[in-house]
Each structure stands twice: as structure tokens, then as C-alpha cells.
């Protein structure tokens, strides 16, 4: 009795030769073909497709997977400062990222600035904004401790702004740094802009009066909420130096600053000049000399004096270094 495979499962070529070939010959001739076919199919399905079969945009994905995850989990990055075509475009971008009550106080609350000021800072490269909620404003600042006779230190008591409000300061001369500006260059520019009007003629003559004290440079970073832009956190990189300026008055004095003048009819009508005309600017700086001995705590102080001193110290700490 034949015990081989049933006829339907036997190849035709083998059915013809079943009476002449042994059973093991049939198996050995069929298995290699099936095995090779299976291996070929497995190879075709598991091997990567050739480059020619990839879609045309196969190289458009980022090489770093983390970068894609970050981009998807955050808001789209803000356009570069030059792409904020005008203050209105910046305002639209900020509106959804800042508390509405804080943003509404810009330029309305005494001592604050408006969106035109921030747009000018971005256009000039003095400020950058991080894409976050709320955005973080990063500023490089130079602070100059001007030292006078008998070790007295010059501080800015307060400012008179273009909207008529008064902003308390009580800190050394401070100024935002320009892009790619060194601390030394920023010191000379800041002194010329804020103290130059006190000298007759001003200009290059002011630079000859300035001397930066060697070894006085220091740098630190502070993070705090901005007083000029309520609701907008700020990160200040503070570059501090000591300097002397010859020819300054020995008594308290006032200087004027005219960095932006939107009312000048001779200036070209551009987006920058129109923004400058609507920005809140500093018109006058009021300076005071402080003597080291005058800030030493006296041996006896009554309760009222202690309260006044405590309020003054807290006000200085809270105000931080909100520049211009």
C-alpha cells in the first residue's frame, strides 16, 4: 500500500515519476525550493526599500528627534525682531501670552512703558524675547558707579518721563547695552547720553573726562519681574564697573536726555520714528551724591525713622534694575 503524500499535494512532475523514484528523492527535491522561496520573501519584506522608492521629502525631517518633540510641545517660536513689522504686530503676539490686566497697564500706569518702547528695543537689538508664557525679556545692562570727591557715589534719584510721570530710581547710572557692544564701550556711551548735557559742548569732550577704574568690573545675572512692562519677567545680565568723571557738579544736579525725539519734523517718516513718537521716554535725570558715612546706621533711631528706612530699602529691592 502506498504511504506517500496524497496526489493533490504532489507536484505533477513528481506524479509521473513516482513509480521510478524513491520516496525520499521526492522530498529532497521539493524542500529546497520551498525553503529558498520562503527566505527570498522574508528578505524582500525585511530589507529596507531603496532610496529611489522614498518620497521626495525624505530628508525634510530633523536629524535630532528631541528637536521635533520640543517644537511640537511648545508654541511656534516668535518671529525675529525684524519680522515684527510694527508695534501692532508685536502687541498681537503678546496679547495671548500675557495676563490681560498686566498688559493693559503698559503705558497707562505711571512709571511704565508701552509696546512701542519694547518694539524699539527689539528693533535695536537691545532686548530679546523667549517663546514662553509669559515671554521672558533678556537684557544686557551696564551699571556705572561714578565715584566723586571724598568717595561720594553718584546715584540717580528719579526720572521725569515724557508723559509727565515721575519714576523713582535710587541706583547708579544704568543703561541697556547695544548688540556686540563691550562693557567699556557701553560705559562711555551711557555716560555721554545721561550726563553729557551737563557739560558745555558735550560730544567727544565727555569721553576724555571718563576713567574706568582698573579691576572694578564684575558680572552677575538677576531675574525679576519688570516694572516698566508689568507681567513680563526679565532676565538682566548686569555688567558693573567703577568710574570717575571729571567736571561733574559737586551738588545735586539734573541732566536731559534726547535719545528719541518723535516730534522732530525734519526726521524721515518711518515706522521707527512713529514708534519713537509714541514711546514713553526719559526727559530728565535727577542725580544725587551719597557719602559713605551718610548711609551708615546711626546708633539711635526712633521708630518712625526705622520704618522710613525699611520702606526705602524694600522699595530699592523691589525695583531691581529695570533699565530706562
Amino acid at each position: 500500500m502506498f504511504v506517500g503524500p496524497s496526489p493533490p499535494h504532489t507536484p505533477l512532475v513528481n506524479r509521473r515519476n513516482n513509480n521510478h523514484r524513491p520516496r525520499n528523492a521526492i522530498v529532497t527535491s521539493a524542500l529546497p525550493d520551498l525553503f529558498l522561496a520562503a527566505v527570498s520573501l522574508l528578505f524582500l519584506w525585511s530589507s529596507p526599500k531603496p532610496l529611489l522608492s522614498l518620497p521626495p521629502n525624505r530628508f525634510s525631517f530633523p536629524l535630532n528627534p528631541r528637536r521635533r518633540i520640543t517644537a511640537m510641545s511648545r508654541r511656534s517660536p516668535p518671529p525675529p525682531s525684524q519680522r515684527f513689522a510694527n508695534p501692532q504686530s508685536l502687541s498681537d503676539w503678546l496679547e495671548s501670552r500675557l495676563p490681560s490686566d498686566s498688559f493693559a497697564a503698559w503705558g497707562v500706569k505711571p512709571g511704565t512703558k508701552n509696546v512701542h518702547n519694547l518694539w524699539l528695543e527689539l528693533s535695536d537689538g537691545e532686548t530679546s524675547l523667549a517663546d514662553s508664557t509669559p515671554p521672558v525679556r533678556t537684557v544686557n545692562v551696564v551699571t556705572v558707579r561714578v565715584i566723586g570727591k571724598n568717595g561720594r557715589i553718584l546715584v540717580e534719584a528719579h526720572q521725569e518721563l515724557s508723559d509727565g510721570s515721575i519714576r523713582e530710581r535710587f541706583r547708579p547710572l544704568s543703561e541697556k547695552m547695544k548688540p556686540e557692544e563691550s562693557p567699556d564701550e557701553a560705559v562711555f556711551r551711557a555716560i555721554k547720553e545721561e550726563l553729557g548735557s551737563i557739560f558745555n559742548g558735550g560730544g567727544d569732550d565727555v569721553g576724555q573726562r571718563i576713567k574706568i577704574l582698573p579691576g572694578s568690573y564684575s558680572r552677575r545675572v538677576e531675574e525679576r519681574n519688570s516694572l516698566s512692562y508689568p507681567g513680563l519677567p526679565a532676565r538682566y545680565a548686569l555688567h558693573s564697573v567703577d568710574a570717575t568723571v571729571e567736571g561733574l557738579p559737586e551738588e545735586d544736579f539734573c541732566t536731559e536726555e534726547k535719545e528719541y525725539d518723535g516730534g522732530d519734523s525734519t526726521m524721515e517718516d518711518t515706522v521707527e520714528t512713529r514708534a519713537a513718537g509714541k514711546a514713553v521716554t526719559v526727559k530728565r535725570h535727577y542725580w544725587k551724591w551719597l557719602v559713605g558715612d551718610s548711609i551708615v546706621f546711626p546708633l539711635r533711631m526712633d521708630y518712625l525713622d526705622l520704618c522710613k528706612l525699611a520702606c526705602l530699602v524694600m522699595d530699592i529691592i523691589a525695583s531691581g534694575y529695570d533699565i530706562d
Side-chain angles (χ1 to χ4, degrees), residues 106 113-115 117-118 121 137 226-232 322:
W106 287 24
K113 296 181 179 180
N114 56 38
V115 70
N117 291 94
L118 185 59
E121 292 179 11
R137 170 176 169 252
S226 173
L227 294 182
S228 293
Y229 304 104
L232 183 65
D322 202 38

Side-chain angles (χ1 to χ4, degrees), residues 148-150 152 154 247-253 288-290:
K149 293 182 179 180
N150 302 322
R152 297 189 303 170
L154 185 67
L248 289 177
E250 296 184 6
E251 303 296 331
D252 299 345
F253 61 95
K288 284 183 175 293
W289 290 104
L290 293 184

